[in-house]
Structure formats: C-alpha cells, structure tokens
Amino acid sequence: MSAEPDGPEDRLRRFATIWSRAVFPVTSTSLTRPEFEEQLLPLARRLSEALRARTFEAAEGRSVGAALVAAHCTDPEALSRALDCVDAYLVLYCGEDGPKEALRTRSARLQHAMAAGYAEALRERTLAEQQAISQAALTARSAVAEALHDSEARFRAVFEGAAIGIGIADLEGNILQCNGALLRMFGGSEQTMRGRKVTEWTHAEDAPQVWRLYEELVRGEREHYHVEKAFYRPDGTALWTNLTVSLLRDADGAPQYQLALMEDTTERRLLNLRLRYEATHDALTGLPNRTLFFERLEKALAAGEGQRFGLCYLDLDGFKTINDSLGHAAGDRLLVEVADRLQSCATAPGEMVARLGGDEFVALTTGPDTERKVDELAGRIMNALVTPVSIDGRDLTVRGSVGVVEGPAGERGAAEVLRSADITMYRAKSAGGNRFELADPEADARAITRNGLTTALPAALDRGEFFIEYQPLVHLGDGSVRGAEALVRWLHPQHGVLGPDRFIPLAEHTGLIVPLGRWVLEQSVRQARSWQERNSDAGPLRVNVNLSPCQLTHPGLVQDTVDILEREGLDAQALCLEVTESALIGADDDLLKPLRRLAEMGVDIALDDFGTGYSNLANLRRLPVSILKLDRSFTRGMQQFPADPVDLKIVEGIVSLAHSLDLAVTVEGVETGAQAEQLRILGCDTAQGWYYARPGPPERLHELALVDAVG
Ligand code: C2E
Ligand code: MG
Ligand code: MG
C-alpha cells in the first residue's frame, strides 16, 4: 500500500466510482459500469468545482440533474440514489480544504438544484416523448383517414361506374342502395327502388331454389349464392340476370347486409332463344324441324308406363312435279300452305307438327289414348289436304300419303319408330297414294327402306343387277309395232324385281342416275340395232329411252349420245328420248340447248307424262319436241263406256293442238280395246299399254313385230 496520500483528482474519481456503483444498477443504459463511470466523472467534477467555487452557483446542480436524465438515469430510484451519494460523499471527497459547515450547506443546495433540474429535464423529456407519440398518432390517423377516403372513393367509383348492377339491402330485404347500372337495368329511379323489398321481386320463372338460397343467406347460413333469375321491369317486360348475392358481416362477424351483383343477360338470352329457335325450326314454314321433332319423339317414347304415342308421317304425292313445272317459289308457297293446314290439325296438348325436310311432314300425338287419337289425327290431315291450294291463280290439288305408327312408350327408339312410319308411308304411296296406312310390324320386317336401297345402289350397277324391259309402241292406225319404250328394273338380291319408281328418285338424289342412264341408253341403242338386224322387213324399230332431269343438265349428254349411236351403229332417227313435261316447263335456253342439238341430229324428243305438269300449252312451241306422250290419267277416263265427254273433249283439243304444232301424239296406259278405239278416233298416233303388251324382255318385241309383219 502506498503511503502517498491521494491527490484531489484521485478523490474525485473515487467519488465518481461510488456514485456510479450506486446508480448503475437502476439505470437503463447500454453502457458498461466503467463506461458509465466515465460519463459521471465530468458531472462529479462540476459538482466538486461548484462546491469549492468562490461564488457559489446552485444552478450547476440543475444542469447535473438534467445531465442525469440525458444519461438515461430516469428511474425514480436513480435520482434518490444519486442524491444520497452526493449527500454522503461530495463534501467528504471533494471539500476537504474548506469550512465543513459551509460546504455542507452548499452540498445541500446543490442537491436541491440537482433534483429540480432532474425533474425539469424529465418532464421535458416526457412531454417531448408524448408529443412525438401524439404527433405520430396524428400522422398515422390522417394517413388512415386518407387511405379510408381513398378506398371509399374507389369503392364509390366502382359502385357507380360499374357496368354490372350492384344493390345493397339489409337482412329484412329493405333496399338501401342501388347503383346506376342496376337502375338502368330495371328502368326505374333511385326513389322507386329505395322503398322496395328484395322479397317483392318474385318472377313466374323463378327456379325453386332461388328463394331457398335467399333464406339461407339472410339467416347467415350461407356466404353467397349464384342463380339465373328474371325480374319484372316496371313496364312488365322481363329482365334476365346472372345474380350473385353475398352476405356482408360486421367486424364481429355478425350478418349485416346483403350485396347483390347482377349482370343483365336479357339480350344474350333472347339471342340464345333465337338461335335455339332457328336451330329447331324450319326456316320456310316456321314449323319445328327434324331436330326438335326427334327431341319430342324421344321424350314421348321415354314417358312412363301407360303412356303411348301416335305418329303420322306425311309425304306429298307428286310434289316434285309441282316444283319442277311451276318453279321452286310456287313449290315453297305450297309447302307453307300445307304446313299451316297441318298445324291446325294438331293443336291439342301433347300434339305437334314438324317438317322433316322436302315435302315430308310428321304429326305427333302423345298421352294414354293415342290409339283413338292418332286415327283422328290422320283423318284430319287427309281432310286438310282436300281443298286445292291456290297459287298464282291456279288451284293445285294436293294429295298426300300418310304412314301411321302407334304404340306404347318405352319399347322402341325414335329412329326405329320413324323408320316404321316411313315404310308405312311408302306402302300408302305404293297403294296409289292419297291415303293413310297403319304400320304393321310384319310389313316393316319385309320392307325395303329407302336408305337401304340408296346405299346398295352404286354396287348394284357394278354388279349388273339392273335390266331393261321393253314395252311396245303400237301405231293406232294399223296396229303395227313401231318400237318400244325401255323401262329399267333392278333385280335386287333380297327384294326381287324393283320398279323404277322405287329407285330412280334415289338414283337422282345420289347422282347415280347419270351412269345408270348412260347404261340404259347404251343397252337400249344396242337392242334397237339388234332388232333392226333381225327384223329388217318389218321396218326400222325405234327405241324410246327415258331421261331424268339430272341427265338433261349433265354436260356430257350430247356427246355420250352421239358416241353411243356411232359405236352401236344406230341412226339418230331410231332413237327417241323421253323427257317429262315437268322437267321442261319453265326451262331456260341453256337447259334446252342440248335437247335442241339432239333434235337437230334427228333424235326425237318426246314430252312424257304430258298433262300432269300444269304446263302452258302455248309454251310447247318453244320446245324442241316432236312427240307428246299423253299421261295415263287421260286414258283412265276412257275406261268406262261411254267415256267421260269432258275427257274426250280435252284429249281431242290436245291432239288437234299438237298436230297443228306438228307434234305426234302417243297415249300411255291403254288397257282395253275400247280405249284404243276411242283414242284412234280422237286422232292419236301411237299407243302403249297393257292392252298391247306389258313391258317384257326384248325378244318378245321381236316376236310381236314379226307377227305384225306377217299378219
Ligand atoms: P313412263 O316413262 O311414263 O313409263 C310408263 C310407265 O307406265 C311404266 O311404268 C309402265 O310399266 C307403265 N304402264 C305401261 N302400260 C301401262 C298400262 O296399260 N297400265 C298401267 N297402269 N301402267 C302402264 P314403270 O316401268 O314402272 O316406269 C315408271 C317410270 O319410271 C317411267 O314412267 C319413267 O318415268 C321412269 N323410268 C323407267 N325407266 C327409266 C329409265 O331408264 N331412266 C329414267 N330416268 N326413268 C325411267
Ligand atoms: Mg317414259
Ligand atoms: Mg309416261
């Protein structure tokens, strides 16, 4: 231990050490204790100097107190410890060379000043801190307010500017607010909306779940729902919407409001309805089309036990003739008229009429007693066609063949039912048309469907299933055979011999008629040539070949004919091409050109089935024809004796007109000698019919001609 006594500096430091040890534990500072002591040392020095100063300044104590606050000795305990320390040790360590009593007084005054300075500093600091906090709070609050304002402004803008309708209502359904889009959708004003209740907005077409979902939402059991819903506008029209309703809860999660967002789908819905209408209705007649009919039929066939269906399948008789001879516009008008009439036949619930295409219509009846109803329906349909249809001042007779199918639901599919109806309709047509027939399962099984025939047609030509029969054409004056008409047949592997009425329309439809027609022409020309070789003394036998309208428009017609005649070595004069009247009436020059070319070469052109096509007799002059073939319907009127005088007059008129135009007249369908005699008297030139011979093999004709020649 050093004997050297401590200097004043050492003592000052010791005071600082004691002070720091007393206060450090209650100080919230990040300094270490020695570092803290270093901070206190200058304060200790100031106190020491104040204590010993010539003139005493208690204010030094104030600044030391304030410095303590600045040094984070803000704990109340820190001040009292500091004062205790000053009280006990300041005079002891720093006032050894002065009068003790005066030093003690000074120390006491310094302590008071320290306390005052400390309190002052602490208050200021607290104030400053509070101010900072409140300032911060203020700043924060205004930032929040601004943000709120912003978001509300944004919300307002969205609310008002939205193209979608937005409405807010309370949970009782009282409407509180609506945006402009919603008002525009409804076509009402804010006032008229505000007083209203959501629950008033029922609509006849509301789906059952619409109001159930609503109840669940307002009870707080569901957060939102989405439905398609209609509303009545004030003017009574319907507003269709996609509606989304959401539940709005308050800060505590309790249901508070309902928010509705609605999108106006009225236009889209109308468009969809329109598109659906167009997809399911026939543009010409406005009747339901095949698609819609199949939907209904399938529904009827899927109906429950005890339910039945009845179906009438109608095909107009001879519609093609009308279409060909009067033009498509007239044909269309006829179809529209027929459609209207049919529509009025099936007006009861569960009944419908549809157009399947072309001149084919269907009428459907459903329910438990269709056995009776379908019969009545078929009767009404036949009746509806009785009155002629007036088009362009002409009364057109409309006839139709109907196939009727009736049965219980749940047994057959739509396609099968329709097939049966089609077959039955065909049976009605084969039986002469203008009637209805009832479906018969056995007949169905045997029936030949048009579809089946159509698909078999192309192969039939390749396989040589077609053959030709010839029906003699007889000169009425002397009874001699002048030639024959070639009539094609199809020897079908399953169905036996099919007449041309069964497959020619199908061949026309598929285009096969062109190669088939060429084949017939080739065969017939070869046949005619062979007759001439074998029968030179009976005069040249001619051959008549039928041309279908499709062949007329085919560009190869003239060249094919020329080639065939040359190849087979037959004179053009020995060939007559028969074209139906309906194919030529209204024909333009382009269509007539090939026929004119053929006529110039010497080929005869005959107007077939004359009298069925509503043609204008004055038109005959334009046509390159040399023969009129009077339709069978004229000869039919002469079957009974005495013949119908009106028929006689008509035929007489036609014959004299034809002759005045240099046309020869051939009559078809002569079945009796009486008819033949009548027609001869009336001046007809040639005849054809069962009275002379049915169509048969080519050898028969040769024999007949030979008999002629001999007899
Ligand atoms: P079409 O040219 O008027 O032929 C006359 C039709 O009357 C034939 O019927 C014939 O068998 C029938 N027939 C003849 N005499 C009598 C009779 O005394 N009484 C009755 N009730 N009928 C008689 P088919 O053979 O059934 O021919 C029907 C139609 O098919 C023909 O009418 C013709 O338009 C068409 N056709 C026939 N062969 C061909 C062909 O090779 N090509 C084209 N495009 N059509 C053909
Ligand atoms: Mg013919
Ligand atoms: Mg004919």
Side-chain angles (χ1 to χ4, degrees):
M1 206 175 169
S2 163
E4 196 73 20
D6 290 340
E9 199 58 28
D10 294 322
R11 288 203 293 278
L12 180 69
R13 180 158 283 282
R14 199 158 302 142
F15 172 63
T17 306
I18 294 167
W19 189 6
S20 77
R21 282 202 178 123
V23 177
F24 183 74
V26 292
T27 305
S28 48
T29 174
S30 57
L31 303 176
T32 60
R33 216 249 341 130
E35 284 168 348
F36 183 63
E37 187 184 311
E38 286 307 312
Q39 265 205 331
L40 288 187
L41 189 61
L43 303 185
R45 189 181 311 282
R46 273 155 72 182
L47 286 177
S48 162
E49 282 168 0
L51 187 72
R52 287 174 289 113
R54 201 174 301 246
T55 43
F56 177 67
E57 284 289 355
E60 272 305 306
R62 286 185 87 92
S63 66
V64 171
L68 279 177
V69 172
H72 301 291
C73 301
T74 47
D75 193 289
E77 186 62 16
L79 176 64
S80 78
R81 285 191 187 196
L83 294 177
D84 284 351
C85 194
V86 170
D87 189 47
Y89 300 102
L90 181 65
V91 175
L92 186 64
Y93 282 97
C94 305
E96 57 186 15
D97 45 357
K100 288 284 180 251
E101 219 30 56
L103 289 176
R104 288 218 161 273
T105 309
R106 282 193 174 186
S107 167
R109 288 184 60 194
L110 280 173
Q111 286 169 51
H112 278 132
M114 260 177 78
Y118 182 90
E120 162 96 8
L122 196 59
R123 208 189 74 226
E124 260 167 29
R125 205 180 110 152
T126 308
L127 264 179
E129 273 177 6
Q130 271 178 357
Q131 199 166 358
I133 288 172
S134 70
Q135 187 59 52
L138 210 68
T139 317
R141 200 164 326 130
S142 69
V144 167
E146 215 166 286
L148 258 176
H149 181 266
D150 272 5
S151 92
E152 182 153 337
R154 256 199 312 271
F155 174 71
R156 279 254 134 238
V158 169
F159 187 79
E160 276 314 325
I164 211 165
I166 308 176
I168 298 174
D170 63 19
L171 298 182
E172 277 75 58
N174 298 305
I175 294 157
L176 306 175
Q177 224 174 353
C178 297
N179 73 346
L182 193 134
L183 296 177
R184 282 193 296 278
M185 280 183 199
F186 275 86
S189 67
E190 175 112 44
Q191 278 80 349
T192 59
M193 280 296 188
R194 252 225 206 117
R196 296 196 55 183
K197 272 191 157 247
V198 171
T199 44
E200 292 168 18
W201 274 340
T202 55
H203 190 276
E205 290 195 53
D206 283 344
Q209 77 269 23
V210 165
W211 293 103
R212 181 176 51 76
L213 292 170
Y214 174 82
E215 288 302 329
E216 288 175 12
L217 182 115
V218 295
R219 282 202 302 265
E221 295 164 9
R222 123 181 332 271
E223 295 308 310
H224 42 74
Y225 64 88
H226 181 89
V227 288
E228 205 185 356
K229 177 166 164 37
F231 296 91
Y232 290 112
R233 292 201 184 94
D235 64 3
T237 58
L239 162 72
W240 275 92
T241 66
N242 268 338
L243 173 68
T244 306
V245 183
S246 306
L247 184 63
L248 299 184
R249 295 175 182 271
D250 65 13
D252 299 326
Q256 199 176 16
Y257 299 116
Q258 45 176 322
L259 170 75
L261 302 179
M262 48 180 92
E263 184 195 359
D264 186 344
T265 57
T266 315
E267 291 279 311
R268 202 188 313 155
R269 197 181 151 83
L270 284 177
L271 182 69
N272 279 342
L273 287 178
R274 169 113 220 112
L275 289 178
R276 155 100 188 138
Y277 184 88
E278 275 165 16
T280 53
H281 287 78
D282 170 47
L284 175 66
T285 62
L287 285 183
N289 67 6
R290 175 178 282 272
T291 308
L292 185 55
F293 171 71
F294 259 85
E295 274 176 28
R296 293 283 173 80
L297 179 60
E298 271 161 5
K299 212 165 128 200
L301 294 174
E305 212 172 298
Q307 294 298 306
R308 303 181 69 87
F309 73 95
L311 180 75
C312 296
Y313 191 124
L314 165 74
D315 187 290
L316 299 184
D317 298 337
F319 175 69
K320 196 172 159 347
T321 308
I322 293 174
N323 225 3
D324 288 345
S325 56
L326 297 183
H328 287 275
D332 284 356
R333 296 227 295 284
L334 181 89
L335 289 175
V336 170
E337 173 64 26
V338 168
D340 286 349
R341 293 187 189 183
L342 291 178
Q343 183 110 66
S344 64
C345 293
T347 49
E351 292 184 341
M352 88 176 293
V353 170
R355 180 177 176 216
L356 294 187
D359 60 343
E360 294 176 19
F361 298 86
V362 276
L364 178 68
T365 173
T366 55
D369 56 349
T370 51
E371 274 164 298
R372 181 181 53 78
K373 286 204 300 190
V374 79
D375 256 13
E376 294 169 3
L377 181 60
R380 286 201 297 277
I381 291 174
M382 298 312 295
N383 255 335
L385 301 180
V386 166
T387 320
V389 176
S390 171
I391 284 172
D392 292 341
R394 289 170 212 248
D395 279 346
L396 303 185
T397 308
V398 191
R399 300 247 147 88
S401 304
V402 177
V404 178
V405 185
E406 196 280 334
E411 283 186 2
R412 283 184 285 176
E416 198 187 335
V417 167
L418 213 65
R419 178 177 173 270
S420 172
D422 180 48
I423 291 168
T424 312
M425 179 278 289
Y426 206 85
R427 196 143 46 78
K429 209 167 268 273
S430 307
N434 195 28
R435 70 189 64 211
F436 68 87
E437 293 277 341
L438 303 180
D440 162 13
E442 276 178 35
D444 281 9
R446 274 181 276 116
I448 316 155
T449 62
R450 283 186 278 178
N451 192 29
L453 285 189
T454 306
T455 45
L457 261 176
L461 185 59
D462 295 340
R463 281 200 292 256
E465 289 173 7
F466 293 103
F467 68 99
I468 299 171
E469 285 190 321
Y470 297 87
Q471 185 175 34
L473 287 155
V474 178
H475 190 260
L476 275 169
D478 60 10
S480 64
V481 175
R482 295 294 171 93
E485 178 176 7
L487 297 162
V488 67
R489 279 91 181 83
W490 178 3
L491 180 58
H492 191 283
Q494 276 99 47
H495 305 299
V497 175
L498 301 177
D501 289 338
R502 298 305 289 271
F503 61 86
I504 291 289
L506 305 180
E508 284 175 343
H509 194 68
T510 56
L512 191 82
I513 190 68
V514 172
L516 176 62
R518 198 186 296 127
W519 178 84
V520 172
L521 182 66
E522 196 166 26
Q523 294 297 307
S524 311
V525 166
R526 184 174 304 157
Q527 189 55 57
R529 172 80 190 132
S530 127
W531 285 327
Q532 291 185 353
E533 279 169 4
R534 295 176 56 186
N535 198 32
S536 49
D537 42 342
L541 282 179
R542 302 156 43 92
V543 73
N544 285 26
V545 177
N546 292 284
L547 278 192
S548 98
C550 309
Q551 288 171 275
L552 276 186
T553 53
H554 191 266
L557 174 68
V558 176
Q559 196 55 51
D560 281 353
T561 311
V562 171
D563 289 351
I564 289 170
L565 289 172
E566 272 181 11
R567 197 171 339 124
E568 303 302 333
L570 189 76
D571 278 349
Q573 282 76 9
L575 175 66
C576 172
L577 293 176
E578 297 191 3
V579 184
T580 56
E581 179 198 6
S582 53
L584 283 196
I585 302 309
D588 57 15
D589 276 346
D590 279 350
L591 191 75
L592 296 177
K593 210 177 277 168
L595 284 186
R596 268 201 191 107
R597 288 272 315 279
L598 290 167
E600 283 158 12
M601 281 162 47
V603 175
D604 270 324
I605 309 292
L607 205 51
D608 203 354
D609 300 342
F610 184 81
T612 58
Y614 310 97
S615 60
N616 181 347
L617 291 176
N619 248 337
L620 289 174
R621 202 194 288 239
R622 297 177 45 231
L623 304 177
V625 292
S626 45
I627 299 167
L628 279 193
K629 285 191 82 173
L630 270 190
D631 188 65
R632 210 160 57 225
S633 49
F634 294 103
T635 38
R636 218 177 280 139
M638 290 166 209
Q639 245 160 5
Q640 68 266 51
F641 191 83
D644 180 350
V646 178
D647 268 352
L648 292 181
K649 272 262 167 281
I650 293 174
V651 174
E652 194 176 16
I654 293 176
V655 170
S656 80
L657 177 83
H659 285 165
S660 73
L661 291 170
D662 252 354
L663 303 175
V665 177
T666 301
V667 284
E668 295 181 337
V670 179
E671 295 181 353
T672 65
Q675 280 172 317
E677 184 54 17
Q678 268 299 358
L679 291 160
R680 191 187 61 79
I681 294 166
L682 288 171
C684 296
D685 304 287
T686 14
Q688 177 182 357
W690 297 349
Y691 171 64
Y692 304 104
R694 299 210 174 212
E699 303 77 44
R700 271 252 319 281
L701 188 95
H702 173 69
E703 289 158 17
L704 284 170
L706 218 58
V707 171
D708 253 12
V710 173

